[in-house]
Amino acid sequence: MSLAERSINVILAGQSPSGGYVACPTFEPYRYSWFRDGAFIADAMREAGHYDSADRFFDWCAHVVLSRPTGPWDARYRLDGEPDPSDWPKLQIDGLGLFLGALRRRGHATRWEDAATLVTGWLERHWNEPCVDWWEEREGIHAATLWCVGNGLGSDEIKREALARAGDRVDGSLLFIGTPEIVERVEASLLVDGGVHRHLDDDYYGGGQWLLLTAKLGLAYVDQDRLEDARNCLAWIDAHAAPNGELPEQSQDHLLRPESYEPWVEKWGPPPSPLLWSHAMYLRLHHALRDRR
Ligand code: BGC
């Protein structure tokens, strides 16, 4: 079975009857469904022809949104759509923008129109307020978050604001913006031996290279017609699949802080695998390269 087929199976196995995608089925802190991860996963499944899977995720999102129509909505909910009572940093508005973007790419989205209208109204009122970043570490106003929201709302003003902040620091999440200048900065400081780190301060499980970011870099290369470089990203991810074809969140080849690997293992067990978002990004790069052949 190819890694693309295996990825589809891992994703389908990780989708709950309610439509939510578990971030990682075997890692306790990730047994929730995130708007962010899920929006990328739904895009990948739609591209792979699994429209029903993507639509069921949108149903899950709409259920979450309509159950608490005034917002704000958390970054993640339990698979049954109920809130997560833990003190996880949950105000992360990028995922809401990503949800709107995924709906737009899907098209014919009347089934989710009520939820989309509520999310749109809420984001229009709150897009410029501080929240927690993609990596759930820092509170503030973040370029990647603004880009997700600007994209979701189709707002050039918010996207301009995102670009103005993109120089604040080098962070792999900026690959979502993916201008040639950002790609150059990521290559210069976060790309090591073919894999991409999140940021230079990373100590999560030692701060390895993330498979989903390496795929994002590959997608930016496809946009720049750098197809050979994009294929190398795909091959790097392939080489980091477990023997059973599962893709982890990160690789341990080059840890920025090796001494902080074990403390995380003691706290939460071995690092997450399979990560559905890694599988989704692998699929997206695979599709982008296939479409360019
Ligand atoms: C990442 C988030 C992600 C979550 C679930 C966290 O470690 O920082 O971006 O949404 O895992 O995959």
Side-chain angles (χ1 to χ4, degrees), residues 73 100 113 115-126 152-153:
W73 299 279
L100 295 181
E113 203 170 274
T117 304
L118 290 175
V119 169
T120 300
W122 191 91
L123 285 175
E124 280 169 354
R125 294 190 298 279
H126 299 280
L153 294 178

Side-chain angles (χ1 to χ4, degrees), residues 23 30 34 36-37 88 92 134-136 198 204 210 249 275 277:
Y30 286 11
W34 269 258
R36 174 177 44 250
D37 301 37
W88 199 265
Q92 304 169 26
W134 265 42
W135 310 129
E136 318 194 295
R198 293 195 300 178
Y204 186 49
W210 282 47
E249 177 178 71
L275 188 83
W277 192 6

Side-chain angles (χ1 to χ4, degrees), residues 40 134-135 170-198 209-237 277-278 280-282 284-286 288-289 292:
F40 285 108
W134 265 42
W135 310 129
V170 189
D171 190 299
S173 63
L174 296 174
L175 286 171
F176 186 62
I177 306 180
T179 59
E181 199 230 329
I182 287 173
V183 169
E184 245 176 64
R185 280 167 43 217
V186 167
E187 287 176 322
S189 55
L190 300 178
L191 176 65
V192 179
D193 270 356
V196 180
H197 290 284
R198 293 195 300 178
Q209 299 139 298
W210 282 47
L211 278 69
L212 67 96
L213 286 179
T214 307
K216 273 236 130 280
L217 178 63
L219 285 165
Y221 286 150
V222 172
D223 283 345
Q224 294 180 14
D225 276 323
R226 295 170 62 180
L227 298 187
E228 201 47 46
D229 290 329
R231 279 189 209 103
N232 288 338
C233 291
L234 196 75
W236 185 91
I237 300 169
W277 192 6
S278 294
M281 296 310 296
Y282 175 83
R284 297 209 50 212
L285 180 55
H286 169 76
L289 280 166
R292 290 297 286 271

Side-chain angles (χ1 to χ4, degrees), residues 2 61 135 166:
S2 72
C61 296
W135 310 129

